[in-house]
């Protein structure tokens, strides 16, 4: 930072590594010079803290058509007025009252930021001193605090208890530097950002409303994308369950692997079931999967979802409803003509040509919701949901690995010995699929009979089994997704496996952390050993930075103020059920069709 120090009362370096100034009350900042945008914000924010008002980022201007900033304003958080969204939320307060206080930095050709304008007069009262720590721009959760809270949470300590301990340790809420909501927001954001920084193929996207509150969210990891490349011909998507205290709708994208087990492709959250919300979610999913579309989508009865699918995937769609064995059609209550017009949506006789993997309901997606909900209370936050979701996926993948191992170790016993076609089938297919194949084979190889005598006193039949002269299944009839070798085609990110080939990042992190922990503990009582550890860390840090760029080891702040993502706007009401609300028509249709499911074929 470049400035004339005699103008200011005190200069110090804060926890974020920036120079901060204790300004004289009503100090004029015109002429102050800093090096970049971060320092510019910190300087004005320090000035605002002294005077007890909050700061947010304002208008900026670029040089010509470039991305180089020429001018930047920072203003009072009460500047301008909130845009009218058309929907009033009476539980919220409006803090924008048109305050004209601001500071303007102009950026010179030398890259230095100079204050050229400073408006100091507010149109409102400033915050009282003992509440100034609650102002948004002056609250932040440090990296060390985040790591501490995460460590406690991983050890089974509730986040609320960890926050209370930090407040007690700091000497009270005003001195801890953040509120409980800041901690929850930072923990949620840090969770996905840490995975994105450690996994090269981790993807997440979110959408905010006008108040910067979360309204849509989607994520998937690299393994989900690789699974989708292999098993993405069938996609099951269901949004019938609201799983968290913000009443957001959970929409998992589920498939079926070569063992007929669930496999996860991603998970989304929505605040509502409007067409626009589904369009955003399906676009995020498609973008994360590099534009690859499934062959078949199975989902529950939702017109908005069907409309969004046809919009996003831009294919002609045909919708099916399974569950015909339980379908008690009441044509009078629903309308014969309408049901007949959409007969291909619910009658299996009209959709034999489309791949469904034998799935006759949305149970796979609903099972996902059940697996997660039994681990959480209805007041759990999104961060807790994410942790439970990851745990469920880990269990699924562990079971898949177990079945892969089982298939590699042996083959199932055949119901009919010395049948070459069955021998070929059990060598090609997974165990689960072989049993399904064998069942169909046995039905197709039933004994034939022919009456050769019926003289009134006796009846004589010839009974025989037809000759089986096919020794192997023709290649064109073998669907690769059901075979043992299908996982051989699952792409692996080679770039992330140069060192310790085959070791997942999470396992490597645990192993290397354990080694360092033992080394540090062994060195703590020796000054010489401590020095060696410090020197080794500095040396390794330089080498690592040469490969991956700058690494932050010292504490640096994670701000939850300006530009942060806020909690979803709605919360669950007392007594409200944790199920999606159904319309009158949908209830009647569901009653008539049983518990069917829509199947959408993408041509």
């Amino acid at each position: 930072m470049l400035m004339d120090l005699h103008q200011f009362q005190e200069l110090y370096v804060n926890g974020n590594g920036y120079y901060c100034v204790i300004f004289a009350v009503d100090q004029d900042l015109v002429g102050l010079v800093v090096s970049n945008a971060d320092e510019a914000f910190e300087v004005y924010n320090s000035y605002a803290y002294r005077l007890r008002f909050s700061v947010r980022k304002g208008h900026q201007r670029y040089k010509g058509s470039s991305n180089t900033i020429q001018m930047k304003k920072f203003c009072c958080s009460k500047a301008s007025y909130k845009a009218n969204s058309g929907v009033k939320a009476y539980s919220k307060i409006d803090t924008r009252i048109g305050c004209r206080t601001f500071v303007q930095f102009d950026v010179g050709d030398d890259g230095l930021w100079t204050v050229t304008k400073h408006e100091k007069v507010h149109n409102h009262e400033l915050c009282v001193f003992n509440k100034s720590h609650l102002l948004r721009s002056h609250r932040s959760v440090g990296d060390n605090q985040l790591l501490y809270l995460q460590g406690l949470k991983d050890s089974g300590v509730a986040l609320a208890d960890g926050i209370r301990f930090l407040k007690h340790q700091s000497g009270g809420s005003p001195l801890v530097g953040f509120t409980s909501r800041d901690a929850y927001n930072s923990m949620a954001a840090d969770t996905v950002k840490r995975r994105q920084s450690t996994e090269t193929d981790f993807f997440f996207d979110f959408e905010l409303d006008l108040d910067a509150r979360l309204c849509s969210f989607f994520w998937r990891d690299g393994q989900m994308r690789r699974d989708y490349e292999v098993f993405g011909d069938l996609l099951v998507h269901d949004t019938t369950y609201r799983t968290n205290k913000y009443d957001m709708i959970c929409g998992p994208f589920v498939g079926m692997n070569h063992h007929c087990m669930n496999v996860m492709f991603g998970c989304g959250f929505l605040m509502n079931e409007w067409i626009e919300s589904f369009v955003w979610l399906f676009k995020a999913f498609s973008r994360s999967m590099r534009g690859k579309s499934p062959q078949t989508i199975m989902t529950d009865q939702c017109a908005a979802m069907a409309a969004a699918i046809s919009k996003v995937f831009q294919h002609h769609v045909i919708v099916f409803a399974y569950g015909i064995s339980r379908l008690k059609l009441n044509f009078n209550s629903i309308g014969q003509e309408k049901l007949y017009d959409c007969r291909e949506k619910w009658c299996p006789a009209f959709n034999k040509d489309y791949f469904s993997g034998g799935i006759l309901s949305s149970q796979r997606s609903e099972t996902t919701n059940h697996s997660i909900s039994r681990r959480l209370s209805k007041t759990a936050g999104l961060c807790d949901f994410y942790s439970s979701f990851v745990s469920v996926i880990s269990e699924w993948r562990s079971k898949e690995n177990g079945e892969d191992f089982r298939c590699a170790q042996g083959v199932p016993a055949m119901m009919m010995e010395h049948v070459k076609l069955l021998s070929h089938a059990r060598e090609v297919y997974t165990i689960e699929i072989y049993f399904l194949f064998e069942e169909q084979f046995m039905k197709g190889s039933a004994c034939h009979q022919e009456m050769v005598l019926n003289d009134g006193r006796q009846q004589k039949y010839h009974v025989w089994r037809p000759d089986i002269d096919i020794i192997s299944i023709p290649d064109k009839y073998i669907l690769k997704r059901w075979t043992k070798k299908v996982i051989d085609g699952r792409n692996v990110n080679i770039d992330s496996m140069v060192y310790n080939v085959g070791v997942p990042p999470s396992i490597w992190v645990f192993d290397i952390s354990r080694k360092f922990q033992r080394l540090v503990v062994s060195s703590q009582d020796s000054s010489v050993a401590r020095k060696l550890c410090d020197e080794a860390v500095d040396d390794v840090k330089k080498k690592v930075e040469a490969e991956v760029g700058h690494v932050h080891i010292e504490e640096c702040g994670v701000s939850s103020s300006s530009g942060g993502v806020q909690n979803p706007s709605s919360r669950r009401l007392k007594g409200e059920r944790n199920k999606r609300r159904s319309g009158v028509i949908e209830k009647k249709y569901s009653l008539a069709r049983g518990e069917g499911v829509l199947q959408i074929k993408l041509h």
Side-chain angles (χ1 to χ4, degrees), residues 139-141 177-187 560-561:
R139 307 193 315 256
S140 65
V141 186
F178 59 85
T179 65
S180 296
R181 174 174 290 187
D182 297 331
Y184 279 98
N185 287 342
S186 297
M187 284 282 288
S560 63
S561 56

Side-chain angles (χ1 to χ4, degrees), residues 458-489:
Q458 61 178 341
Q459 295 177 338
K460 185 180 293 185
Y461 292 87
H462 282 170
V463 181
W464 76 96
R465 193 180 298 276
D467 294 333
I468 301 173
D469 55 359
I470 302 176
I471 63 174
S472 64
I473 306 171
D475 291 342
K476 65 179 181 180
Y477 296 124
I478 298 177
L479 197 57
K480 188 177 180 181
R481 70 159 355 267
W482 300 127
T483 66
K484 301 176 184 179
K485 300 294 184 181
V486 65
I487 56 174
D488 295 344

Side-chain angles (χ1 to χ4, degrees), residues 495-542:
D495 294 337
S496 64
M497 299 176 62
V498 176
Y499 177 74
N500 279 353
V501 177
V503 179
S506 58
I507 295 179
W508 178 83
V509 168
F510 175 79
D511 185 58
I512 199 70
S513 299
R514 183 175 57 180
K515 292 177 180 177
F516 273 113
Q517 192 268 346
R518 290 175 178 174
L519 183 63
V520 170
V521 170
S522 301
S523 305
Q524 62 182 342
D525 296 327
S526 170
S527 59
V528 176
R530 287 187 182 186
K531 183 179 179 181
L532 290 174
C533 288
D534 290 336
E535 293 173 349
V537 169
D538 292 338
D539 182 57
V540 172
K541 181 174 181 291
K542 293 177 182 178

Side-chain angles (χ1 to χ4, degrees), residues 189 280 291 354 370 471:
W280 180 92
Y354 304 108
H370 175 72
I471 63 174

Side-chain angles (χ1 to χ4, degrees), residues 52 127-135 174:
R52 303 188 301 280
C127 182
V128 296
F129 179 76
N130 63 351
K131 294 181 175 59
S132 59
H133 65 283
L134 298 175
L135 293 168

